[in-house]
């Protein structure tokens, strides 16, 4: 395993153990199952943003796409009375088109990703609040079968809790993402252009197309995430559904070893990062000594500590290596 | 008598300085001394330790061992400020100016004279003008630096160094991006400063310049002193021999080629940069065509247009008989026309990736099946190219950033060789690389031409153009002003066309 990924895994274990020792409720089957489910849901959108971050870009519109899809799906099913097998392809197609739109603006008009997706963040939420008239959306008691996509569990023999369905979806998504990133030429193209877009272009790579694909992957997985989120909770309030999700996703990707400078990223790391975020949130809820309203402060502090430690360890290792070689050279 | 000692001591002396980096012994017990009013050239192949030594003198890095003496007294140069306090200023190869600020602001950056807490602009203007006149630069202190030519920007850097009362100017490859004319005016400034008692350490790959300018030459090789030449002893052969540690009997390896069919045919090509001048020429298989001219003559722009980076406005390009209008580099690559760009680090290489990943980057698509990487083939290509190009690297996983300039260029060429080019466009193929690697690049060009590759190379080094080309095209201000056969080549004939004298 990559050193960065190993480091973040250590941090996850530490937070996990601390929480387990400080709270009896933490290891209860119901809590663990819920934790795994939330990790899977956030993991899916985090894998998406990882692709964009690898190109050296950013996507701030994830939370709003989650909201658009999360409210749009029940809106189509309950109010427009569209069959669900029509509504789902529509929301996923819309997600893909959003990614295409971002990608085109960024590559052809040369707009900055931050600006494009910041406008997306505002736009999609505004649109959603408009067509729903700010009414909370949900499926009530209909759609039982489809909701299983998010709510079902696969029982694990010998354990008291089952494997939540989103976790299965995350594994599928992650395996495909990891193969795409590490085993195909397109993954290599993304890693190369993330480090030096010009050199990639000069090597005959269609960099614009690859960047567009990255934004489409991100928006598509945001859409899948949005769909699963609403199927899970069965209620979406347009004014706050998906709020800050882009920041959770970006934080997970960065913790998992993606560099915001581009050209670096590990799918496994991103998922561990997403898990760490969820364990942290869970810890804050369960440990009474931590007031719940400082949740953001705790998360911010842990992320900062994580990335600082990474940097310090790296410098320390480099210095030790230099000293060792110097000593060896002097002895020789 | 310590006082007599001090006046007799050289202005600057380096005694047994050593410096190591992870995996590299950059300097080993290097000595060097510099007198007052002396121009000392420090030469050596890339990786010989010149840059490291200069960084140590300028306070950017500290030596692991050894000492630096200024006026015979041990000096602790642990920061750029400390070096400046001792009167040592470094002028970087890549200039360190804020190009959005004006000339005056740059000269006094970080040392702005104040008046009641605010910047005293009037004083900056007067003082800056004084230093600018010392370097013979006739621009207003209010000019934005980004609007100046590279040559003028360099003069601003020198003016800046003068403004901190420097006694030692270190110039790292100062002419690497200057035209012949700008180089001449730089030389004049250096000579003027010397006659006023300034000491200069001059680092260059261009031995012709060293010969013209230096009072003394110190040669470094593999991080150690390789020898020293006094002014009378300075000759091209002597310098090369000391730098590479062996005799180079035949520097340019040229054999007669039999040009084959036309591989690259350009007719009425109009580039976006010089749309007024249509360009037409041909390059045959097995032919090496040089493209000479001053910096800014439009040669790089022409190559970029051929390669599809800045698509042509008009004109016909045929590669091996097939017509193409490259709108993206991939269009040119598909027909077998590749470019090794001038800006190696920005355009030629993904510096943060490994040697292997860079070597295979262009051929990944060809060797893939259904989009999947063919890792076996990738490994074969990388091993083959490392061997063939004689890339000096510990292994194929080394990050390209840590290779020397010459080895980086070999990686760029290796990437294209793996694609079996028909037409190879080379933009300043040996810029900033050491003599040994240069020779290997020449050998490679020769070998490729022998195998029928058509080579078009742009070079600002007259010697190289004369040494390597079968035929030379000369450009001036966007147009091709002439073509010279090998037997017509001389510095005079090239310069006449390059300066456009024929048209005046």
């Amino acid at each position: 395993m990559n050193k960065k990924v190993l480091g973040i895994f250590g941090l996850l274990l530490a937070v996990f153990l601390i929480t387990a020792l400080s709270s009896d409720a933490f290891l209860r089957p119901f809590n663990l199952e819920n934790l795994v489910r939330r990790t899977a849901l956030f993991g899916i959108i985090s894998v998406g943003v990882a692709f964009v971050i690898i190109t050296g870009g950013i996507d701030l519109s994830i939370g709003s796409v989650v909201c658009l899809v999360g409210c749009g799906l029940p809106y189509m099913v309950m109010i427009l009375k569209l069959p669900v097998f029509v509504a789902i392809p529509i929301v996923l197609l819309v997600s893909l088109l959003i990614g295409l739109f971002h990608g085109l603006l960024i590559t052809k008009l040369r707009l900055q990703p931050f600006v494009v997706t910041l406008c997306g963040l505002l736009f999609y939420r505004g649109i959603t609040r408009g067509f729903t008239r700010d009414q909370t959306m949900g499926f009530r008691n209909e759609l039982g079968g489809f909701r299983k996509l998010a709510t079902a569990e696969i029982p694990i023999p010998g354990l008291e809790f089952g494997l939540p369905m989103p976790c299965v979806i995350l594994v599928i998504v992650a395996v495909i993402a990891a193969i795409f990133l590490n085993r195909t030429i397109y993954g290599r193209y993304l890693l190369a252009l993330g480090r030096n877009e010009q050199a990639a272009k000069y090597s005959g790579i269609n960099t614009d197309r690859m960047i567009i694909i990255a934004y489409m992957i991100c928006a598509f997985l945001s859409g899948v995430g949005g769909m699963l989120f609403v199927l899970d909770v069965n209620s979406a309030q347009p004014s706050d559904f998906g709020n800050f999700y882009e920041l959770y996703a970006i934080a997970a990707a960065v913790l998992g070893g993606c560099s915001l400078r581009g050209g670096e990223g590990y799918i496994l790391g991103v998922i561990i990062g997403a898990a760490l975020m969820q364990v942290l949130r869970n810890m804050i809820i369960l440990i009474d000594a931590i007031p719940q309203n400082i949740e953001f402060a705790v998360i911010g502090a842990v992320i900062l500590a994580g990335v600082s430690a990474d940097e310090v360890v790296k410098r320390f290792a480099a210095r030790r290596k230099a000293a060792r070689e110097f000593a060896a050279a002097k002895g020789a | 008598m310590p006082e007599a000692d001090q006046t007799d001591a050289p202005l600057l002396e380096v005694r047994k300085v050593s410096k190591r980096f992870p995996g590299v012994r950059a300097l080993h017990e290097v000595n060097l001394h510099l007198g007052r009013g002396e121009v000392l050239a420090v030469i050596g192949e890339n990786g010989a330790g010149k840059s490291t030594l200069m960084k140590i003198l300028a306070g950017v890095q500290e030596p692991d061992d050894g000492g630096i003496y200024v006026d015979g007294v041990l000096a602790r140069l642990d920061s750029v400020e400390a070096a400046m306090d001792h009167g040592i200023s470094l002028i970087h190869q890549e200039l360190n100016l804020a190009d959005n600020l004006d000339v005056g602001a740059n000269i006094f950056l970080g040392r702005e004279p104040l008046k009641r807490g605010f910047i005293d602009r009037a004083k900056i203007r007067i003082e800056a003008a004084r230093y600018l006149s010392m370097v013979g630069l006739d621009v207003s202190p209010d000019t934005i630096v980004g609007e100046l030519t590279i040559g003028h920007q360099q003069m601003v850097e020198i003016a800046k160094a003068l403004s901190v009362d420097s006694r030692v100017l270190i110039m790292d490859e100062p002419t690497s991006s200057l035209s012949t004319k700008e180089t001449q005016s730089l030389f004049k400034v250096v000579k003027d400063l010397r006659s006023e008692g300034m000491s200069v350490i001059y680092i260059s790959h261009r031995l012709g310049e060293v010969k013209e300018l230096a009072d003394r030459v110190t040669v470094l090789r593999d991080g150690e002193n390789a020898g020293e030449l006094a002014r009378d002893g300075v000759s091209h052969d002597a310098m090369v021999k000391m730098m590479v540690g062996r005799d180079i009997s035949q520097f340019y390896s040229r054999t007669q080629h039999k040009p084959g069919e036309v591989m690259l045919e350009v007719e009425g090509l109009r580039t976006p940069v010089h749309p007024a001048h249509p360009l037409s020429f041909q390059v045959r298989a097995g032919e090496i065509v040089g493209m000479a001219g001053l910096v800014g003559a439009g040669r790089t722009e022409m190559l970029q247009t051929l390669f599809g980076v800045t698509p042509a406005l008009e004109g016909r390009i045929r590669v091996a008989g097939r017509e193409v209008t490259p709108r993206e580099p991939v269009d040119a690559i598909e027909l077998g026309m590749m470019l090794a760009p001038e800006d190696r680090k920005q355009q030629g290489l993904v510096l943060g990736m490994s040697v292997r990943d860079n070597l295979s980057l262009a051929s990944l698509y060809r060797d893939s099946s259904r989009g999947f990487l063919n890792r076996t083939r990738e490994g074969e290509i990388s091993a083959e190219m490392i061997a063939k190009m004689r890339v000096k690297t510990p292994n194929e996983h080394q990050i390209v950033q840590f290779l020397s300039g010459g080895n980086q260029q070999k990686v760029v060429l290796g990437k294209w060789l793996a694609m079996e080019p028909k037409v190879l466009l080379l933009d300043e193929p040996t810029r900033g690389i050491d003599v040994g690697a240069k020779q290997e690049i020449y050998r490679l060009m020769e070998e490729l031409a022998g195998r029928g590759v058509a080579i078009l190379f742009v070079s600002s080094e007259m010697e190289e153009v004369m040494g390597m080309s079968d035929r030379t095209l000369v450009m001036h201000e966007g147009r091709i002003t002439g073509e010279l056969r090998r037997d017509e080549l001389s510095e005079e004939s090239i310069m006449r066309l390059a300066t456009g004298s024929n048209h005046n």
Side-chain angles (χ1 to χ4, degrees):
Chain A
M1 218 192 302
N2 178 290
K3 268 191 196 139
K4 263 189 176 172
V5 178
L6 210 59
I8 175 77
F9 187 65
L11 189 57
L12 173 66
L13 273 185
V15 176
F16 192 94
L17 284 177
I18 290 169
T19 317
L21 291 175
S22 331
S23 161
D24 300 334
F26 184 69
L27 288 179
R28 280 187 195 137
F30 171 78
N31 186 59
L32 283 183
E33 189 189 298
N34 214 14
L35 191 61
V36 171
R37 187 191 313 279
R38 302 295 286 178
T39 296
L41 292 170
F42 279 97
I44 290 169
I45 58 174
S46 304
V47 167
V49 81
F51 280 95
V52 164
I53 291 176
I54 283 169
T55 69
I58 196 86
D59 191 340
L60 299 177
S61 70
I62 292 170
S64 295
V65 173
V66 164
C67 174
L68 177 69
V69 170
C71 297
L73 187 61
Y75 180 82
M76 279 192 281
V77 173
M78 304 302 290
I79 296 177
L80 302 182
K81 303 287 178 203
L82 285 177
V84 70
F85 58 84
V86 175
I88 286 180
I90 290 178
V91 292
L92 295 181
L93 185 69
V94 167
S95 310
L96 274 175
L97 289 176
I98 285 173
L100 176 67
F101 178 62
H102 291 167
L104 286 172
L105 288 174
I106 288 160
T107 55
K108 304 301 175 189
L109 261 189
R110 294 270 134 208
L111 297 184
Q112 286 173 340
F114 192 98
V115 176
V116 169
T117 59
L118 178 64
C119 295
L121 175 147
L122 299 168
F123 188 77
Y124 311 129
R125 185 166 300 276
I127 288 288
T128 311
R129 292 181 63 172
F131 73 74
T132 57
R133 301 208 182 108
D134 257 350
Q135 297 301 304
T136 303
M137 292 285 131
F139 303 104
R140 286 196 280 277
N141 288 324
E142 294 183 37
L143 222 63
F146 268 99
R147 285 198 53 211
K148 287 219 158 58
L149 218 47
T151 55
E153 292 143 30
I154 299 163
I156 307 170
L159 274 184
E160 279 180 67
F161 71 98
L163 192 65
M165 209 44 199
C167 194
V168 177
I169 298 175
L170 173 69
V171 168
I172 295 169
V173 166
V175 167
I176 294 174
I179 289 176
F180 183 78
L181 186 62
N182 302 314
R183 299 280 156 159
T184 71
I185 57 173
Y186 308 108
R188 183 71 64 77
Y189 288 174
L190 285 175
L191 291 167
L193 77 86
R195 286 191 189 271
N196 186 344
E197 189 179 338
Q198 221 182 351
K201 203 182 183 104
Y202 273 71
S203 297
I205 295 167
N206 190 334
T207 49
D208 285 359
R209 188 171 64 192
M210 291 314 304
I211 291 171
I212 292 171
I213 288 173
Y215 281 90
M216 289 176 73
I217 292 173
C218 181
F220 177 74
L221 288 180
S222 305
V224 171
M227 179 182 83
L228 294 175
F229 275 116
V230 77
L231 289 174
D232 181 30
V233 296
N234 199 13
S235 158
Q237 170 60 247
S239 60
D240 76 350
F241 192 66
N243 252 351
F244 290 123
Y245 282 15
E246 60 280 335
L247 299 185
Y248 287 119
I250 292 166
V254 170
L255 278 172
C258 294
S259 160
L260 285 178
R261 275 179 226 106
E264 209 179 349
Y266 317 94
I267 301 298
L268 182 61
V270 172
I271 291 167
I272 296 174
L276 176 60
M277 302 289 298
Q278 295 311 315
V279 176
L280 273 177
R281 292 177 77 181
N282 200 218
M283 173 181 91
I284 293 159
I285 293 168
L286 292 180
I287 300 182
D288 293 331
I290 308 172
Q292 284 199 24
N293 39 24
I294 67 160
E295 175 186 331
F296 282 142
V298 172
I299 292 176
V302 170
I303 295 175
L304 201 57
V307 291
S308 306
D310 177 50
E311 203 56 41
V312 170
V313 167
K314 212 157 50 187
R315 285 197 197 163
F316 178 71
R319 206 169 306 156
R320 215 174 46 178
K321 187 174 173 215
R324 213 169 34 228
E325 286 186 23
F326 185 61
K330 265 196 160 171
Chain B
M1 279 198 305
E3 274 154 35
D5 246 22
Q6 280 182 21
T7 40
D8 289 349
L11 174 54
L12 180 70
E13 194 182 359
V14 171
R15 282 189 212 156
K16 293 200 163 182
V17 159
S18 298
K19 177 80 184 171
R20 293 193 59 83
F21 297 112
V24 195
R25 190 187 70 170
L27 294 173
H28 182 67
E29 300 192 348
V30 167
N31 297 308
L32 180 142
H33 63 98
L34 176 70
R36 292 173 185 78
E38 185 182 35
V39 176
L40 170 71
V42 176
I43 63 172
E45 296 192 281
N46 262 25
K50 300 174 308 241
S51 297
T52 308
L53 181 57
M54 296 311 133
K55 280 183 190 155
I56 287 173
L57 288 177
V60 180
Q61 278 164 352
E62 282 189 87
D64 296 330
D65 237 334
I68 294 151
Y69 297 79
V70 179
D71 292 326
V73 179
L74 183 64
R76 195 176 146 81
L77 307 176
D78 54 359
S79 69
V80 176
E81 290 73 28
M84 277 186 180
D85 287 344
H86 284 96
I88 304 170
S89 287
L90 171 67
I91 295 175
H92 274 277
Q93 194 171 355
E94 286 99 17
L95 301 174
N96 279 332
L97 296 171
D99 53 13
N100 55 332
L101 299 181
D102 65 38
V103 171
N106 266 289
I107 291 178
F108 290 99
L109 197 62
R111 303 172 290 114
E112 290 80 359
L114 298 180
K115 194 172 170 184
R116 276 179 246 120
F118 291 96
I119 293 176
D120 186 350
R121 290 181 185 275
K123 191 171 177 196
I124 286 190
R125 219 165 279 142
I126 296 165
E127 290 285 299
R130 192 161 69 84
Y131 293 117
L132 289 175
S133 74
M134 285 168 78
V135 296
L137 183 57
D138 186 22
V139 301
S140 153
D142 296 332
T143 319
I144 299 296
V145 162
E147 293 167 5
L148 298 175
T149 62
I150 298 288
H152 286 170
Q153 290 185 15
Q154 201 150 39
M155 295 301 171
V156 174
E157 279 266 24
I158 297 174
K160 187 175 172 180
L162 295 179
S163 76
V164 295
D165 295 323
S166 300
R167 293 189 293 165
V168 178
L169 265 188
I170 302 173
M171 308 181 87
D172 190 1
E173 301 266 354
T175 60
S176 57
S177 41
L178 299 190
S179 70
T180 318
K181 209 171 129 195
E182 288 171 326
T183 302
Q184 287 311 322
S185 46
L186 176 74
F187 284 6
K188 190 175 169 302
V189 170
V190 171
K191 286 173 183 167
D192 287 353
L193 290 174
R194 169 171 60 188
S195 63
E196 283 159 30
M198 174 76 82
S199 303
V200 178
I201 298 180
Y202 189 92
I203 300 168
S204 181
H205 276 106
R206 301 187 178 175
L207 301 179
E209 295 177 356
V210 170
K211 211 170 140 186
E212 176 172 349
L213 214 52
D215 298 316
R216 200 156 47 83
V217 178
T218 285
V219 187
L220 295 183
R221 185 172 70 227
D222 298 331
E224 295 181 39
N225 285 88
E228 197 170 290
L229 295 163
R231 181 156 187 83
D232 330 325
V234 174
S235 74
H236 189 272
D237 287 348
M239 286 192 283
V240 170
K241 195 172 168 183
M242 272 192 191
M243 279 164 72
V244 300
R246 58 182 188 271
D247 251 311
I248 292 186
S249 47
Q250 183 88 51
F251 198 64
Y252 300 102
S253 51
R254 292 287 292 126
T255 52
Q256 201 56 47
H257 299 136
K258 272 181 262 145
E261 0 170 353
V262 176
M263 274 302 191
L264 172 64
E265 191 179 359
V266 176
E267 249 183 80
L269 185 77
R270 289 178 195 269
T271 69
V273 185
H274 293 286
H277 308 301
L279 303 169
S280 301
F281 60 90
Q282 295 179 341
V283 184
R284 292 171 176 279
E287 196 180 27
I288 299 180
V289 175
M291 191 142 237
L294 303 181
V295 171
R299 298 168 301 165
T300 293
E301 291 77 4
M302 187 214 57
L303 291 188
Q304 305 253 347
T305 295
L306 284 179
F307 195 53
V309 179
T310 50
L313 302 177
E314 202 183 281
R316 272 158 48 108
I317 302 170
R318 283 164 159 274
V319 177
R322 285 170 67 190
E323 192 152 338
V324 59
T325 320
R327 311 215 62 87
E328 290 277 341
V330 65
D331 301 332
I333 294 167
E334 269 172 13
L335 291 187
M337 177 161 67
M338 333 287 189
L339 169 71
E342 178 184 23
D343 189 345
R344 214 155 38 226
K345 297 183 179 189
Q346 277 306 311
Q347 302 169 338
L349 296 164
V350 183
L351 285 180
M353 283 173 78
S354 67
V355 170
R356 171 190 171 135
D357 289 354
N358 270 284
L359 282 170
S360 65
L361 192 56
S363 45
L364 284 181
Y365 177 73
R366 182 196 60 195
D367 295 333
S368 65
S369 64
R370 291 199 210 99
F372 282 87
L373 293 169
N374 183 342
R375 294 195 174 190
T376 322
R377 185 80 193 101
E378 231 189 310
E380 286 166 8
I381 285 186
S382 126
E384 184 192 334
M385 288 304 153
I386 289 172
K388 185 171 203 166
M389 308 295 303
R390 298 186 203 157
V391 180
K392 279 187 209 115
T393 171
N395 57 57
E396 60 175 15
H397 301 295
Q398 175 76 346
I399 301 299
V400 166
Q401 195 171 358
F402 302 122
L403 298 185
S404 69
N407 284 301
Q408 289 182 349
Q409 181 71 314
K410 289 182 199 169
V411 172
V412 175
L413 294 176
K415 172 175 77 178
W416 291 134
L417 250 53
M419 295 287 283
E420 289 158 14
K422 294 190 178 102
V423 178
L424 201 51
L425 310 172
L426 307 174
D427 198 354
E428 303 284 1
T430 65
R431 164 163 297 173
I433 72 179
D434 59 70
V435 179
K438 257 184 190 178
Q439 216 190 0
E440 292 191 57
I441 304 272
Y442 297 144
R443 175 187 59 82
L444 190 84
M445 285 167 68
E446 168 72 19
E447 187 195 318
L448 288 172
R451 293 208 322 242
V453 177
I455 297 177
L456 176 63
F457 80 104
V458 161
S459 174
S460 296
E461 288 195 40
M462 203 79 87
E463 238 180 284
E464 181 171 290
V465 171
M466 294 194 293
M468 286 308 294
S469 48
D470 293 309
R471 201 152 52 83
T472 303
L473 300 167
V474 188
M475 280 185 81
H476 171 66
E477 289 180 359
R479 70 181 96 206
I480 295 177
T481 45
E483 185 180 321
L484 298 165
R485 288 192 313 271
R486 195 162 169 73
D487 56 352
E488 296 171 330
L489 275 179
S490 69
E491 290 206 20
E492 296 73 44
S493 61
I494 294 176
M495 277 317 283
R496 203 165 49 238
L497 292 168
T499 52
S501 322
N502 277 10
H503 290 264
N504 296 341

